[in-house]
Amino acid sequence: MSEQSRRPRKPAKPYRRPQKDPVRFLAFEALRAVDERDAYANLVLPPLLRKAREKGDFDARDAALATELVYGTLRRQGTYDAVIAACVDRPLREVDPPVLDVLSLGTHQLLGTRIPTHAAVSSAVELARVVLGDGRAKFVNAVLRKVAQHDLDGWIEKVAPPYDDDPEDHLAVVHSHPRWVVSALWDSLGGGRAGIEALLAADNERPEVTLVARPGRATAEELLREDAAVPGRWSPYAVRLTEGGEPGAVEAVREGRAGVQDEGSQLVALALAAAPLDGPDAKWLDGCAGPGGKAALLGALAAARGATLLASEKQPHRAGLVAKALHGNPGPYQVIAADGTRPPWRPGTFDRVLVDVPCTGLGALRRRPEARWRRRPEDLDDFAPLQRGLLRTALESVRVGGVVGYATCSPHLAETRAVVADVLKQHPDTELIDARPLLPGVPDLGEGPDVQLWPHVHGTDAMYLALIRRTA
Ligand SMILES: C[S@@+](CC[C@H](N)C(=O)[O-])C[C@H]1O[C@@H](n2cnc3c(N)ncnc32)[C@H](O)[C@@H]1O
C-alpha cells in the first residue's frame, strides 16, 4: 500500500485514569449500603464522614454536600425513578442496582440541586468510571444527557399522570412517596389537595434540629445562648438550632442535661404530665422507653413533682440507652429490660403510664429518607397485635383514676384511632380525656379528644397521642 492511499488515522485518545471525587464516591458508598445492606442513612453516613475528615479528604462544606446528595437522592427516589425509567430502554428492575444508584445520584444533581448541568453529568460519569468501569460509564453518560434535557417541573409534567385522572398516583410521583403512603396519610389528614400536598412537601424538607432543656438540669435560656439557636414553637423546653447548629457542640447536650428531641415528642410527654389526676401522683411508668428521649423528659418532670419513674424497654441494649439518657436525672428512677405485654410489676401500680408503641414511623419520614421505600402495608398487620397488647397492659398497669398516654410516631389510622377504639371496647372501665387543652397555644390539633400533630402545620413529626383515664 502506498503512503498516499492510506487514510490519515485519528490519533488514539490517550487513556485517562478516572479521577475519584471523594464527595461523590462517599455518597455512592452510603447509597450502596442503604440499598444492599438495608442500612439506615442516618447511621451509615456519620462514620463515613468521620473517616473522610480524618483522612484529610473532606472539609465541612464537602460533608454538607455529601449529606445533601445522599438524603436528597433517597427522598426523591420515587420521582427520579420515574424520570430514569423514561430515559432507559428497559424496565428499571433490569438495571443493575449500582448503576441505578449512580444514575439516581446524577439525576439528583441535575434536577434537585444548583450544580451546573455540565458538572452534574461529568461528575456522575467520572464516578461511574471509578465504580462501574468505562463501558457502563458510557451508558450513564447517555442516560444523564437525556435527563438533562428538562428541569424537574418539565419532567414531572411528562412522567406524572394528571391529578384529575389519578390524584394519588400524581401526588406519589410529584412528591416522591409510595402511593399507599399517600393514601394512608390523606385518610388520616382529611381535607382537599392543598393540605396533603403541603404534608408531602414537608416530608421532603430537612427537619431542623430541636433540643430539649431537661427541666431541673438545663434551661431554654441557657441553650439560647448557643450560635444559631432560636426558641421552640410550642414546648417551653424546646430550642431549635437553625442552619449550621451542631448539637454535639452544645455543652448541656454533651453533659446530658439537654438532648436532641423533636418538639412533637416533647409535647407528648408534657401532655401526659399535665393530665389531671384524682389522688396521688407519685409513680410514673414509661413502658416502651428505648432509646429514652421521652423517658428523660418524663423523669425530669416527675422529679420536679417528687414522683419516681420506671422506664421499661424490651430490648436490653436499648434499655442501656435509656439508662444513659436518664443518667443524672434529678429524681429517683429505675430502668429495666422487660416485655411490656408480660410486665413484672403488679396491676394498678402506676399513676401515669406512657406507651409510645413500636409503629411504622410514617410520621417521621423527614428524618429517615429511606423509610418510606422500606415500609410495606403488611407491616401494619405485624404491629397491630403488639400495639393492642401494649395498650391493654398499660391500662391494667395504671390505678383507678390514673392516666395512660398511647403514642405513635405514625398518623396511620390503623395504628392510632383503630387501636384505641378496639382496646377501649374491651375496657369499659376507661374514658378518653381531651388532650387538646393540655397543649395550650398549639393550634389545629384536630377534633379531639386525641391529638394528631403534623409536620406541615406544627413543624413537628406527625406524633399521635390519646390520653385515657381508668375510671373503675
Ligand atoms: C417508638 S419506640 C419508643 C421511643 C421512646 N419512647 C423515646 O421517646 O425515645 C418503641 C420502643 O418499644 C420497644 N418495644 C418493642 N416491643 C416491646 C415490648 N413488647 N415491650 C416493651 N418495649 C417494647 C422497642 O424496642 C422500642 O424501643
Side-chain angles (χ1 to χ4, degrees):
M1 219 188 305
S2 75
E3 280 292 309
Q4 282 84 348
S5 66
R6 267 196 208 163
R7 264 200 282 145
R9 275 173 66 198
K10 260 209 225 155
K13 253 196 195 164
Y15 178 77
R16 187 178 57 75
R17 286 174 76 82
Q19 299 290 307
K20 188 168 142 187
D21 165 349
V23 172
R24 270 74 180 183
F25 186 76
L26 183 143
F28 173 78
E29 270 188 299
L31 291 178
R32 288 309 302 135
V34 169
D35 203 16
E36 214 169 26
R37 292 191 266 119
D38 274 356
Y40 297 99
N42 66 336
L43 298 184
V44 165
L45 211 46
L48 285 175
L49 293 174
R50 206 176 318 119
K51 227 167 56 192
R53 261 198 300 257
E54 280 164 10
K55 269 173 51 191
D57 275 358
F58 260 38
D59 59 19
R61 270 179 52 189
D62 293 330
L65 176 59
T67 305
E68 204 298 308
L69 291 180
V70 173
Y71 273 60
T73 303
L74 290 170
R75 280 201 191 98
R76 283 264 161 212
Q77 187 187 315
T79 312
Y80 296 158
D81 277 358
V83 172
I84 296 167
C87 297
V88 299
D89 52 7
R90 58 189 120 135
L92 283 196
R93 63 175 180 282
E94 288 173 19
V95 178
D96 258 1
V99 178
L100 202 48
D101 281 340
V102 174
L103 286 174
S104 305
L105 202 51
T107 302
H108 177 56
Q109 291 183 73
L110 283 167
L111 305 183
T113 71
R114 291 204 207 112
I115 297 171
T117 303
H118 170 74
V121 174
S122 65
S123 65
V125 172
E126 205 62 13
L127 172 68
R129 291 185 71 206
V130 174
V131 298
L132 306 169
D134 283 348
R136 296 204 282 183
K138 283 197 185 122
F139 173 71
V140 167
N141 185 34
V143 175
L144 290 182
R145 280 180 190 284
K146 285 190 199 164
V147 173
Q149 285 168 4
H150 306 282
D151 63 7
L152 184 61
D153 289 343
W155 271 115
I156 280 174
E157 244 176 67
K158 282 184 170 304
V159 298
Y163 181 86
D164 292 333
D165 290 0
D166 188 337
E168 287 170 0
D169 247 2
H170 173 86
L171 296 175
V173 175
V174 172
H175 296 287
S176 187
H177 282 63
R179 185 196 160 100
W180 74 273
V181 174
V182 174
S183 241
L185 294 177
W186 208 346
D187 278 350
S188 175
L189 181 65
R193 178 174 178 174
I196 183 69
E197 289 234 45
L199 169 59
L200 298 173
D203 276 350
N204 290 333
E205 295 291 324
R206 193 153 46 102
E208 277 168 349
V209 175
T210 309
L211 304 181
V212 58
R214 292 177 177 144
R217 306 184 65 192
T219 60
E221 288 68 37
E222 175 188 348
L223 300 182
L224 282 168
R225 277 183 238 126
E226 298 294 330
D227 286 346
V230 297
R233 293 185 184 90
W234 321 113
S235 157
Y237 307 111
V239 167
R240 295 179 288 139
L241 294 184
T242 54
E243 209 59 52
E246 239 308 308
V250 178
E251 193 182 315
V253 172
R254 285 201 307 270
E255 294 172 357
R257 297 184 292 110
V260 174
Q261 186 172 44
D262 179 67
E263 241 181 308
S265 290
Q266 298 184 35
L267 293 181
V268 163
L270 292 175
L272 175 66
L277 287 189
D278 299 328
D281 187 9
K283 292 183 178 171
W284 296 15
L285 167 70
D286 182 345
C288 292
K294 293 185 195 70
L297 180 51
L298 284 174
L301 294 168
R305 233 175 263 182
T308 65
L309 175 74
L310 175 63
S312 175
E313 158 64 44
K314 185 174 178 191
Q315 305 286 343
H317 76 278
R318 287 174 75 80
L321 298 177
V322 180
K324 215 170 139 198
L326 272 159
H327 181 75
N329 189 59
Y333 69 91
Q334 199 190 347
V335 179
I336 58 169
D339 181 344
T341 61
R342 295 158 58 214
W345 51 85
R346 271 197 247 127
T349 299
F350 297 97
D351 304 307
R352 296 182 196 271
V353 174
L354 175 67
V355 269
D356 181 18
V357 297
C359 68
T360 55
L362 293 181
L365 296 180
R366 307 179 300 166
R367 289 176 201 291
R368 301 182 199 125
E370 68 290 317
R372 68 187 78 172
W373 312 113
R374 292 238 173 104
R375 283 283 168 222
R376 299 277 169 259
E378 306 84 83
D379 298 342
L380 294 161
D381 301 333
D382 295 342
F383 284 123
L386 179 58
Q387 292 167 341
R388 283 163 178 73
L390 286 165
L391 177 52
R392 235 176 272 127
T393 10
L395 290 170
E396 285 153 17
S397 304
V398 80
R399 65 165 172 85
V400 171
V403 174
V404 169
Y406 172 85
T408 62
C409 63
S410 163
H412 198 300
L413 291 169
E415 305 186 89
T416 58
R417 289 192 158 170
V419 174
V420 173
D422 280 359
V423 174
L424 293 204
K425 244 187 269 158
Q426 298 155 359
H427 277 270
D429 55 340
T430 54
E431 67 183 10
L432 275 163
I433 303 172
D434 193 347
R436 294 167 302 168
L438 304 173
L439 297 174
V442 186
D444 302 317
L445 290 170
E447 68 228 26
D450 48 5
V451 296
Q452 178 62 67
L453 297 165
W454 294 106
H456 65 299
V457 178
H458 305 101
T460 63
D461 291 343
M463 293 294 306
Y464 169 84
L465 175 68
L467 291 175
I468 306 153
R469 177 179 291 116
R470 200 164 148 210
T471 52

